[in-house]
Amino acid sequence: MDHHMTGPLLGNLVIIAICGAITVACFVTMFWMLFRPGETDLHHPKYDILRDDR
């Protein structure tokens, strides 16, 4: 029995691949910004959060 609300297999695979690529890109960006934030201002609030004494 076919489901009338599902699309063709190729269309579903394309959507899954695009969503997967976006998810991977978000994780790569997250880790990039976590380890190489590019912020050098010593008065930035992140330095209050990431102090060694906390």
Side-chain angles (χ1 to χ4, degrees), residues 3 5-20:
H3 295 284
M5 296 301 287
T6 61
L9 179 62
L10 182 59
N12 287 337
L13 292 177
V14 168
I15 291 171
I16 290 169
I18 291 171
C19 291

Side-chain angles (χ1 to χ4, degrees), residues 33-51 54:
M33 290 183 181
L34 183 64
F35 294 115
R36 300 268 187 197
E39 179 62 52
T40 57
D41 181 17
L42 295 177
H43 299 293
H44 193 275
K46 77 173 180 185
Y47 290 110
D48 289 335
I49 297 169
L50 299 175
R51 285 192 327 235
R54 291 197 93 167

